[in-house]
Amino acid sequence: MKLEQLFKVKNNSLYRIADDSPVDLSSLEKIQIKWSEAELEDELYNEEYLAELRNRLKLLDEENRFAVLIPVVDKELKSEEQAELFINAFNHTARRIKDCVSVTGFFIPEEIQRMNFTGRFIETLSVKHSQYVYFTGDKNAESDLVIL
């Protein structure tokens, strides 16, 4: 199930496609997802955790609220192979929440950016989830998200 794109980016700002109204990035709920909670072991995903995440996002759907998902690197990420495991874990996460309209997009962790895997992360998720917007910046600051 592919969702239609609800947001567009222009002039480094986010807009709703339906009425071209600007979106205040600080209004987006930030949901952190620890890598270790999404992927218990290499390529062994925590389906119970991902189902709970989907339930949380479906509640946001009902409230017409939106979120940015923030992957948290809490396992070793030093090699290309580990970066691929990370990307695959969050691609799997995206598949489990594919029908959640509330997901505006994903934050790209600094570790992935430093390893020059930002493009790979976006390309992998975009194959089936072209509606997502990608962000960088300070994941802890209330309004410091930057749109890629």
Side-chain angles (χ1 to χ4, degrees):
M1 168 183 195
K2 279 195 171 189
L3 294 178
E4 289 189 31
Q5 192 168 3
L6 298 178
F7 301 98
K8 65 182 174 184
V9 177
K10 65 180 181 183
N11 301 325
N12 294 321
S13 295
L14 191 65
Y15 293 83
R16 292 181 191 271
I17 290 174
D19 61 4
D20 206 34
S21 62
V23 176
D24 178 6
L25 296 182
S26 67
S27 72
L28 301 174
E29 185 165 330
K30 295 177 181 178
I31 299 176
Q32 293 193 359
I33 305 169
K34 291 181 180 179
W35 181 13
S36 64
E37 289 185 35
E39 182 184 51
L40 301 171
E41 297 174 25
D42 291 357
E43 299 180 2
L44 176 63
Y45 305 111
N46 186 343
E47 300 300 341
E48 184 177 317
Y49 172 79
L50 296 176
E52 289 173 15
L53 173 63
R54 182 183 175 280
N55 290 340
R56 180 176 178 188
L57 293 168
K58 286 307 228 176
L59 289 174
L60 290 178
D61 284 359
E62 291 173 14
E63 298 169 0
N64 197 32
R65 294 177 48 216
F66 297 92
V68 174
L69 303 184
I70 302 177
V72 176
V73 177
D74 64 342
K75 299 197 291 188
E76 188 171 311
L77 180 58
K78 294 182 180 177
S79 70
E80 195 170 308
E81 294 78 19
Q82 291 165 333
E84 287 295 330
L85 287 169
F86 177 87
I87 292 168
N88 290 340
F90 285 94
N91 190 44
H92 183 81
T93 299
R95 279 195 300 256
R96 290 296 173 254
I97 58 170
K98 67 183 176 192
D99 64 336
C100 296
V101 175
S102 60
V103 179
T104 304
F106 277 80
F107 182 87
I108 308 289
E110 290 177 30
E111 296 86 346
I112 290 294
Q113 294 177 55
R114 276 197 303 270
M115 293 178 74
N116 294 317
F117 273 85
T118 299
R120 178 84 174 106
F121 186 94
I122 293 170
E123 288 168 16
T124 300
L125 270 67
S126 292
V127 168
K128 299 251 180 176
H129 312 284
S130 60
Q131 78 274 18
Y132 291 151
V133 175
Y134 296 91
F135 301 87
T136 62
D138 185 346
K139 67 182 176 199
N140 298 312
E142 197 55 40
S143 62
D144 285 348
L145 289 178
V146 177
I147 302 167
L148 285 178

